[in-house]
Amino acid sequence: MKIIVAIKQVPVRDSQLKPEAGGRWIEEGDLSFEINEPDAYALEEALQLKEKHGGEVIALCLGPARASQTIREALAKGADRALHVEEEDTAGLDTLGVAALLAEAAKRESPDLILTGLQSDDLGYGQTGVVMAELLGLPHATIIMQVEAGEGKLRVKRELEDGWFQHVEMPLPAVLTIQSGINKLRYATLMGIKKAKTKEIKKLAAADLGGKRASAAVLEKVYAPQRTKQTQMIEGDAKTAAAKLVEKLRFEVRAI
Amino acid sequence: MSGVLVVMEARGGAWNRMSFETLAAGQQLAAGLGVAARAAVVGSGVAGLARELAGYKLEKVYAVSHALLGEYTADGFAAAVEALVRRDGADVVLFPHTYQVRDFAPKVATRFGRVLVSDATGFRAEGGLVFVRQLFQGKLNADVRVSGDGPQFASIQAGAFRAESAEAGQAAVEEFAPELAAGTIRQKPEAPFRESARAVDLTAAEIIVSVGRGIKEKENIGVVEELAKALGAEMAASRPICDNGWLPMERQVGSSGQTVAPKVYVAVGISGAIQHLVGMKGSKTIVAINKDANAPIFEVADYGIVGDLFEVVPALVAEVRKVRG
Ligand SMILES: Cc1cc2nc3c(=O)[nH]c(=O)nc-3n(C[C@H](O)[C@H](O)[C@H](O)COP(=O)(O)OP(=O)(O)OC[C@H]3O[C@@H](n4cnc5c(N)ncnc54)[C@H](O)[C@@H]3O)c2cc1C
Ligand SMILES: Nc1ncnc2c1ncn2[C@@H]1O[C@H](COP(=O)(O)O)[C@@H](O)[C@H]1O
């Protein structure tokens, strides 16, 4: 099975985020970056499918030069090679623009299966995989919690709301968007890290892939949300704050 | 025909409640743009639902019906909604941001060469159309300006509009049977199921103490369990805690877990992503303990403590024990 996994590099969780001066994106100067969480699960799922069925795992990333670090990490975990669509101005692309470039890069590999994360931690559109599927004319399923690959077809477990699930079957090739928690993530081994240095990262530019589409949905302004709720913030050191909160829970809420 | 078209969601003859929040949003957007609002229900045998929908202030209601739409499939629904939008000619198409909509609406938008502005919390008709949506799981907001010809597509976040504010009225129902061929539907769905009987019913709890990834390690869960014990509360958790197996799945609160509304909900080390908030926003009193003063959980909290949970929670346990004796 030839599997492509779309991985995105995003700011590490719990980063302190500030809108940049122009207000079109965030200040990135002081941030560190990591693999988008569900993409790590998508990569793990691809590696497990390869272990079962053989084949190849190719990491696919669109992002600036700094994304090569995240790509290396994917290679260290076991991806065989990578495609890096190098693009500095990612904020200037909308989802369709990103998906079109990723789809074009993927198409040239004629994969059996494309995995993406369910949703990016930064933009959170939750749709790049679905759009890629449509552009490539492939069937898809989203929010996947289990993958069984058979001869020319797939049976997957989709998550529905409120703790419900559903199995869905579809022919290969196909696109799946993977939910966090589908499997247990592996760590890169020392051996893996060493091997990664010799693996191929093929660089592509938007121009090689049919060029950039004009954006039809533009991030015009990024800003801190306004608080609408009147939260009573309880001040003081831990002991003082705890005592005040218990008092409130006793006399205002009458829960203790 | 210009206008705003709201695509409602129903399964097994029952509405997804978020549909009416989106209906309210659609009516408001239409009023702002000075155009008509219309709504559609898609499935098989949807006449009854369409009749119900006809009791709202809408120009028209579509009953989009076909035997192949009885069971949801991405291919079937995308084809049906695409045909509907082409026939209707709306300027804006709105969906509730449900798991089903995530699965097919981006496909529809792509067929029109558009982008689905997903999970929007608001909009402004301001020299064109601007949608407001969250970035970074609610830590920042963004204005997204859409442009270009043809319909604009957006899905509306749970809880962003009030279902009760949908205006009543009277609309005519139009039946629409899209042309669908069984051979073009590639997904073969099986019957939905639940993993296991739920042993714990969190909905009955008076007080819930809920733990998130701020707890860092499985070994630390006990710190928060002590607080639950002192308060006589049930333990719950955000999704990553259950994904990691630190607490059983049945204690997960949120869009894919349980929806709870206790008298008091104490969120410890939980950031407050929308998928968690939808499961606990209805609680009478919400207490949040988080080291990040900008965490979105404070947006819904009645009482907040900004601090390290490893200091605050043990202090709370001591104080509760003092008054409970
Ligand atoms: C389709 C879909 C369905 C989902 N369903 C659900 C669901 O049902 N339920 C759910 O919960 N999530 C769900 N999620 C995931 C959700 O989007 C969030 O990723 C998740 O809720 C985050 O969990 P968290 O707040 O525990 O972790 P994080 O977002 O990592 O937040 C941890 C918080 O702990 C704080 N913290 C860290 N250290 C400390 C400390 N020492 N003291 C105090 N505070 C500290 C941090 O400031 C941070 O705010 C779903 C996502 C998707 C896409
Ligand atoms: N720039 C990118 N490079 C690689 N993969 C991406 C990129 N943007 C989005 N994706 C993939 O699409 C998924 C969904 O992203 P989004 O639609 O932005 O929520 C992510 O989890 C990634 O797997």
Side-chain angles (χ1 to χ4, degrees), chain A residues 71-97:
Chain A
I71 295 171
R72 280 277 170 231
E73 283 163 21
L75 295 173
K77 283 194 174 185
D80 297 290
R81 57 193 173 89
L83 306 171
H84 184 181
V85 183
E86 211 173 311
E87 175 60 50
E88 291 302 320
D89 177 30
T90 46
L93 288 167
D94 60 18
T95 346
L96 188 51

PDB file of all heavy atoms in Angstrom, chain A residues 71-97:
ATOM      1  N   ILE A  71       9.054  17.649   9.331  1.00  0.00           N
ATOM      2  CA  ILE A  71       9.127  16.582   8.323  1.00  0.00           C
ATOM      3  C   ILE A  71      10.184  15.552   8.723  1.00  0.00           C
ATOM      4  O   ILE A  71       9.948  14.345   8.657  1.00  0.00           O
ATOM      5  CB  ILE A  71       9.443  17.188   6.928  1.00  0.00           C
ATOM      6  CG1 ILE A  71       8.274  18.078   6.485  1.00  0.00           C
ATOM      7  CG2 ILE A  71       9.721  16.094   5.915  1.00  0.00           C
ATOM      8  CD1 ILE A  71       8.542  18.896   5.235  1.00  0.00           C
ATOM      9  N   ARG A  72      11.331  16.048   9.204  1.00  0.00           N
ATOM     10  CA  ARG A  72      12.406  15.146   9.671  1.00  0.00           C
ATOM     11  C   ARG A  72      11.898  14.240  10.797  1.00  0.00           C
ATOM     12  O   ARG A  72      12.235  13.062  10.866  1.00  0.00           O
ATOM     13  CB  ARG A  72      13.588  15.941  10.209  1.00  0.00           C
ATOM     14  CG  ARG A  72      14.503  16.487   9.176  1.00  0.00           C
ATOM     15  CD  ARG A  72      15.552  15.482   8.686  1.00  0.00           C
ATOM     16  NE  ARG A  72      16.227  16.053   7.532  1.00  0.00           N
ATOM     17  CZ  ARG A  72      16.394  15.434   6.372  1.00  0.00           C
ATOM     18  NH1 ARG A  72      15.997  14.186   6.199  1.00  0.00           N
ATOM     19  NH2 ARG A  72      16.993  16.030   5.375  1.00  0.00           N
ATOM     20  N   GLU A  73      11.107  14.812  11.661  1.00  0.00           N
ATOM     21  CA  GLU A  73      10.580  14.012  12.770  1.00  0.00           C
ATOM     22  C   GLU A  73       9.669  12.898  12.265  1.00  0.00           C
ATOM     23  O   GLU A  73       9.681  11.785  12.789  1.00  0.00           O
ATOM     24  CB  GLU A  73       9.832  14.914  13.763  1.00  0.00           C
ATOM     25  CG  GLU A  73      10.789  15.701  14.666  1.00  0.00           C
ATOM     26  CD  GLU A  73      10.117  16.897  15.356  1.00  0.00           C
ATOM     27  OE1 GLU A  73       8.876  16.898  15.477  1.00  0.00           O
ATOM     28  OE2 GLU A  73      10.859  17.817  15.742  1.00  0.00           O
ATOM     29  N   ALA A  74       8.895  13.206  11.239  1.00  0.00           N
ATOM     30  CA  ALA A  74       8.033  12.177  10.650  1.00  0.00           C
ATOM     31  C   ALA A  74       8.880  11.072  10.022  1.00  0.00           C
ATOM     32  O   ALA A  74       8.574   9.884  10.123  1.00  0.00           O
ATOM     33  CB  ALA A  74       7.099  12.794   9.615  1.00  0.00           C
ATOM     34  N   LEU A  75       9.965  11.464   9.395  1.00  0.00           N
ATOM     35  CA  LEU A  75      10.875  10.483   8.789  1.00  0.00           C
ATOM     36  C   LEU A  75      11.545   9.647   9.877  1.00  0.00           C
ATOM     37  O   LEU A  75      11.727   8.442   9.732  1.00  0.00           O
ATOM     38  CB  LEU A  75      11.936  11.189   7.933  1.00  0.00           C
ATOM     39  CG  LEU A  75      11.408  11.927   6.690  1.00  0.00           C
ATOM     40  CD1 LEU A  75      12.537  12.732   6.032  1.00  0.00           C
ATOM     41  CD2 LEU A  75      10.801  10.950   5.678  1.00  0.00           C
ATOM     42  N   ALA A  76      11.871  10.302  10.998  1.00  0.00           N
ATOM     43  CA  ALA A  76      12.512   9.582  12.109  1.00  0.00           C
ATOM     44  C   ALA A  76      11.557   8.557  12.718  1.00  0.00           C
ATOM     45  O   ALA A  76      11.960   7.505  13.184  1.00  0.00           O
ATOM     46  CB  ALA A  76      12.981  10.572  13.172  1.00  0.00           C
ATOM     47  N   LYS A  77      10.281   8.855  12.683  1.00  0.00           N
ATOM     48  CA  LYS A  77       9.305   7.894  13.219  1.00  0.00           C
ATOM     49  C   LYS A  77       9.060   6.726  12.265  1.00  0.00           C
ATOM     50  O   LYS A  77       8.490   5.719  12.664  1.00  0.00           O
ATOM     51  CB  LYS A  77       7.983   8.601  13.500  1.00  0.00           C
ATOM     52  CG  LYS A  77       8.027   9.430  14.770  1.00  0.00           C
ATOM     53  CD  LYS A  77       6.629   9.824  15.178  1.00  0.00           C
ATOM     54  CE  LYS A  77       6.661  10.520  16.535  1.00  0.00           C
ATOM     55  NZ  LYS A  77       5.301  10.811  17.012  1.00  0.00           N
ATOM     56  N   GLY A  78       9.420   6.903  11.001  1.00  0.00           N
ATOM     57  CA  GLY A  78       9.299   5.765  10.103  1.00  0.00           C
ATOM     58  C   GLY A  78       8.764   6.042   8.708  1.00  0.00           C
ATOM     59  O   GLY A  78       8.680   5.129   7.888  1.00  0.00           O
ATOM     60  N   ALA A  79       8.371   7.278   8.426  1.00  0.00           N
ATOM     61  CA  ALA A  79       7.946   7.586   7.051  1.00  0.00           C
ATOM     62  C   ALA A  79       9.137   7.334   6.132  1.00  0.00           C
ATOM     63  O   ALA A  79      10.284   7.539   6.524  1.00  0.00           O
ATOM     64  CB  ALA A  79       7.479   9.029   6.946  1.00  0.00           C
ATOM     65  N   ASP A  80       8.873   6.849   4.910  1.00  0.00           N
ATOM     66  CA  ASP A  80       9.965   6.465   4.029  1.00  0.00           C
ATOM     67  C   ASP A  80      10.595   7.646   3.315  1.00  0.00           C
ATOM     68  O   ASP A  80      11.797   7.678   3.088  1.00  0.00           O
ATOM     69  CB  ASP A  80       9.454   5.460   2.989  1.00  0.00           C
ATOM     70  CG  ASP A  80       8.978   4.189   3.662  1.00  0.00           C
ATOM     71  OD1 ASP A  80       9.845   3.454   4.163  1.00  0.00           O
ATOM     72  OD2 ASP A  80       7.758   3.968   3.733  1.00  0.00           O
ATOM     73  N   ARG A  81       9.763   8.604   2.914  1.00  0.00           N
ATOM     74  CA  ARG A  81      10.277   9.809   2.281  1.00  0.00           C
ATOM     75  C   ARG A  81       9.236  10.906   2.424  1.00  0.00           C
ATOM     76  O   ARG A  81       8.162  10.657   2.978  1.00  0.00           O
ATOM     77  CB  ARG A  81      10.643   9.563   0.809  1.00  0.00           C
ATOM     78  CG  ARG A  81       9.518   9.055  -0.041  1.00  0.00           C
ATOM     79  CD  ARG A  81      10.060   8.538  -1.398  1.00  0.00           C
ATOM     80  NE  ARG A  81       8.996   7.898  -2.151  1.00  0.00           N
ATOM     81  CZ  ARG A  81       8.180   8.526  -2.995  1.00  0.00           C
ATOM     82  NH1 ARG A  81       8.302   9.839  -3.180  1.00  0.00           N
ATOM     83  NH2 ARG A  81       7.234   7.883  -3.651  1.00  0.00           N
ATOM     84  N   ALA A  82       9.577  12.102   1.919  1.00  0.00           N
ATOM     85  CA  ALA A  82       8.664  13.223   2.148  1.00  0.00           C
ATOM     86  C   ALA A  82       8.603  14.149   0.948  1.00  0.00           C
ATOM     87  O   ALA A  82       9.541  14.222   0.148  1.00  0.00           O
ATOM     88  CB  ALA A  82       9.118  14.004   3.374  1.00  0.00           C
ATOM     89  N   LEU A  83       7.471  14.832   0.834  1.00  0.00           N
ATOM     90  CA  LEU A  83       7.294  15.892  -0.154  1.00  0.00           C
ATOM     91  C   LEU A  83       7.053  17.177   0.616  1.00  0.00           C
ATOM     92  O   LEU A  83       6.151  17.235   1.449  1.00  0.00           O
ATOM     93  CB  LEU A  83       6.067  15.605  -1.036  1.00  0.00           C
ATOM     94  CG  LEU A  83       6.016  14.244  -1.727  1.00  0.00           C
ATOM     95  CD1 LEU A  83       4.645  14.036  -2.375  1.00  0.00           C
ATOM     96  CD2 LEU A  83       7.114  14.161  -2.789  1.00  0.00           C
ATOM     97  N   HIS A  84       7.872  18.179   0.353  1.00  0.00           N
ATOM     98  CA  HIS A  84       7.721  19.460   1.045  1.00  0.00           C
ATOM     99  C   HIS A  84       7.371  20.537   0.024  1.00  0.00           C
ATOM    100  O   HIS A  84       8.223  20.937  -0.774  1.00  0.00           O
ATOM    101  CB  HIS A  84       9.022  19.811   1.782  1.00  0.00           C
ATOM    102  CG  HIS A  84       8.925  21.067   2.591  1.00  0.00           C
ATOM    103  ND1 HIS A  84       9.977  21.565   3.318  1.00  0.00           N
ATOM    104  CD2 HIS A  84       7.897  21.928   2.798  1.00  0.00           C
ATOM    105  CE1 HIS A  84       9.608  22.685   3.927  1.00  0.00           C
ATOM    106  NE2 HIS A  84       8.344  22.929   3.623  1.00  0.00           N
ATOM    107  N   VAL A  85       6.113  20.961   0.074  1.00  0.00           N
ATOM    108  CA  VAL A  85       5.712  22.082  -0.780  1.00  0.00           C
ATOM    109  C   VAL A  85       6.104  23.335  -0.021  1.00  0.00           C
ATOM    110  O   VAL A  85       5.463  23.711   0.956  1.00  0.00           O
ATOM    111  CB  VAL A  85       4.193  22.074  -1.060  1.00  0.00           C
ATOM    112  CG1 VAL A  85       3.837  23.208  -2.023  1.00  0.00           C
ATOM    113  CG2 VAL A  85       3.746  20.724  -1.600  1.00  0.00           C
ATOM    114  N   GLU A  86       7.236  23.934  -0.445  1.00  0.00           N
ATOM    115  CA  GLU A  86       7.771  25.034   0.342  1.00  0.00           C
ATOM    116  C   GLU A  86       7.080  26.327  -0.044  1.00  0.00           C
ATOM    117  O   GLU A  86       7.075  26.734  -1.200  1.00  0.00           O
ATOM    118  CB  GLU A  86       9.283  25.133   0.141  1.00  0.00           C
ATOM    119  CG  GLU A  86       9.950  25.657   1.394  1.00  0.00           C
ATOM    120  CD  GLU A  86      11.465  25.610   1.304  1.00  0.00           C
ATOM    121  OE1 GLU A  86      12.016  24.565   0.935  1.00  0.00           O
ATOM    122  OE2 GLU A  86      12.066  26.650   1.615  1.00  0.00           O
ATOM    123  N   GLU A  87       6.493  26.947   0.955  1.00  0.00           N
ATOM    124  CA  GLU A  87       5.689  28.145   0.723  1.00  0.00           C
ATOM    125  C   GLU A  87       5.782  29.006   1.975  1.00  0.00           C
ATOM    126  O   GLU A  87       5.379  28.570   3.051  1.00  0.00           O
ATOM    127  CB  GLU A  87       4.239  27.696   0.453  1.00  0.00           C
ATOM    128  CG  GLU A  87       3.231  28.799   0.296  1.00  0.00           C
ATOM    129  CD  GLU A  87       3.549  29.743  -0.848  1.00  0.00           C
ATOM    130  OE1 GLU A  87       3.804  29.267  -1.969  1.00  0.00           O
ATOM    131  OE2 GLU A  87       3.563  30.966  -0.606  1.00  0.00           O
ATOM    132  N   GLU A  88       6.352  30.181   1.825  1.00  0.00           N
ATOM    133  CA  GLU A  88       6.527  31.032   3.004  1.00  0.00           C
ATOM    134  C   GLU A  88       5.220  31.729   3.389  1.00  0.00           C
ATOM    135  O   GLU A  88       4.889  31.849   4.558  1.00  0.00           O
ATOM    136  CB  GLU A  88       7.623  32.083   2.784  1.00  0.00           C
ATOM    137  CG  GLU A  88       9.035  31.496   2.690  1.00  0.00           C
ATOM    138  CD  GLU A  88       9.468  30.698   3.923  1.00  0.00           C
ATOM    139  OE1 GLU A  88       9.157  31.121   5.053  1.00  0.00           O
ATOM    140  OE2 GLU A  88      10.117  29.637   3.747  1.00  0.00           O
ATOM    141  N   ASP A  89       4.470  32.141   2.391  1.00  0.00           N
ATOM    142  CA  ASP A  89       3.267  32.937   2.670  1.00  0.00           C
ATOM    143  C   ASP A  89       2.027  32.047   2.727  1.00  0.00           C
ATOM    144  O   ASP A  89       1.154  32.104   1.882  1.00  0.00           O
ATOM    145  CB  ASP A  89       3.095  34.000   1.577  1.00  0.00           C
ATOM    146  CG  ASP A  89       1.806  34.804   1.779  1.00  0.00           C
ATOM    147  OD1 ASP A  89       1.393  34.965   2.941  1.00  0.00           O
ATOM    148  OD2 ASP A  89       1.224  35.239   0.775  1.00  0.00           O
ATOM    149  N   THR A  90       1.936  31.192   3.765  1.00  0.00           N
ATOM    150  CA  THR A  90       0.793  30.282   3.831  1.00  0.00           C
ATOM    151  C   THR A  90      -0.486  31.027   4.200  1.00  0.00           C
ATOM    152  O   THR A  90      -1.571  30.606   3.846  1.00  0.00           O
ATOM    153  CB  THR A  90       1.029  29.159   4.854  1.00  0.00           C
ATOM    154  OG1 THR A  90       1.539  29.753   6.035  1.00  0.00           O
ATOM    155  CG2 THR A  90       2.005  28.138   4.344  1.00  0.00           C
ATOM    156  N   ALA A  91      -0.340  32.148   4.911  1.00  0.00           N
ATOM    157  CA  ALA A  91      -1.530  32.897   5.304  1.00  0.00           C
ATOM    158  C   ALA A  91      -2.256  33.474   4.091  1.00  0.00           C
ATOM    159  O   ALA A  91      -3.433  33.795   4.152  1.00  0.00           O
ATOM    160  CB  ALA A  91      -1.167  34.003   6.290  1.00  0.00           C
ATOM    161  N   GLY A  92      -1.542  33.579   2.977  1.00  0.00           N
ATOM    162  CA  GLY A  92      -2.150  34.105   1.759  1.00  0.00           C
ATOM    163  C   GLY A  92      -2.947  33.078   0.971  1.00  0.00           C
ATOM    164  O   GLY A  92      -3.505  33.381  -0.070  1.00  0.00           O
ATOM    165  N   LEU A  93      -3.004  31.832   1.483  1.00  0.00           N
ATOM    166  CA  LEU A  93      -3.765  30.789   0.800  1.00  0.00           C
ATOM    167  C   LEU A  93      -5.013  30.459   1.611  1.00  0.00           C
ATOM    168  O   LEU A  93      -4.962  30.425   2.839  1.00  0.00           O
ATOM    169  CB  LEU A  93      -2.923  29.513   0.693  1.00  0.00           C
ATOM    170  CG  LEU A  93      -1.751  29.507  -0.281  1.00  0.00           C
ATOM    171  CD1 LEU A  93      -0.861  28.299  -0.015  1.00  0.00           C
ATOM    172  CD2 LEU A  93      -2.249  29.474  -1.718  1.00  0.00           C
ATOM    173  N   ASP A  94      -6.136  30.189   0.958  1.00  0.00           N
ATOM    174  CA  ASP A  94      -7.279  29.673   1.702  1.00  0.00           C
ATOM    175  C   ASP A  94      -7.263  28.142   1.625  1.00  0.00           C
ATOM    176  O   ASP A  94      -6.379  27.559   1.001  1.00  0.00           O
ATOM    177  CB  ASP A  94      -8.593  30.296   1.218  1.00  0.00           C
ATOM    178  CG  ASP A  94      -8.865  30.015  -0.248  1.00  0.00           C
ATOM    179  OD1 ASP A  94      -8.260  29.085  -0.801  1.00  0.00           O
ATOM    180  OD2 ASP A  94      -9.695  30.738  -0.830  1.00  0.00           O
ATOM    181  N   THR A  95      -8.236  27.486   2.277  1.00  0.00           N
ATOM    182  CA  THR A  95      -8.184  26.008   2.307  1.00  0.00           C
ATOM    183  C   THR A  95      -8.181  25.399   0.932  1.00  0.00           C
ATOM    184  O   THR A  95      -7.516  24.389   0.704  1.00  0.00           O
ATOM    185  CB  THR A  95      -9.441  25.388   2.966  1.00  0.00           C
ATOM    186  OG1 THR A  95     -10.153  26.368   3.652  1.00  0.00           O
ATOM    187  CG2 THR A  95      -9.079  24.247   3.857  1.00  0.00           C
ATOM    188  N   LEU A  96      -8.942  25.995   0.028  1.00  0.00           N
ATOM    189  CA  LEU A  96      -8.991  25.447  -1.324  1.00  0.00           C
ATOM    190  C   LEU A  96      -7.615  25.588  -1.977  1.00  0.00           C
ATOM    191  O   LEU A  96      -7.151  24.680  -2.666  1.00  0.00           O
ATOM    192  CB  LEU A  96     -10.069  26.184  -2.126  1.00  0.00           C
ATOM    193  CG  LEU A  96     -10.405  25.642  -3.506  1.00  0.00           C
ATOM    194  CD1 LEU A  96     -10.688  24.148  -3.464  1.00  0.00           C
ATOM    195  CD2 LEU A  96     -11.604  26.396  -4.087  1.00  0.00           C
ATOM    196  N   GLY A  97      -6.950  26.709  -1.706  1.00  0.00           N
ATOM    197  CA  GLY A  97      -5.613  26.921  -2.244  1.00  0.00           C
ATOM    198  C   GLY A  97      -4.617  25.912  -1.711  1.00  0.00           C
ATOM    199  O   GLY A  97      -3.786  25.370  -2.457  1.00  0.00           O
TER     200      GLY A  97
END
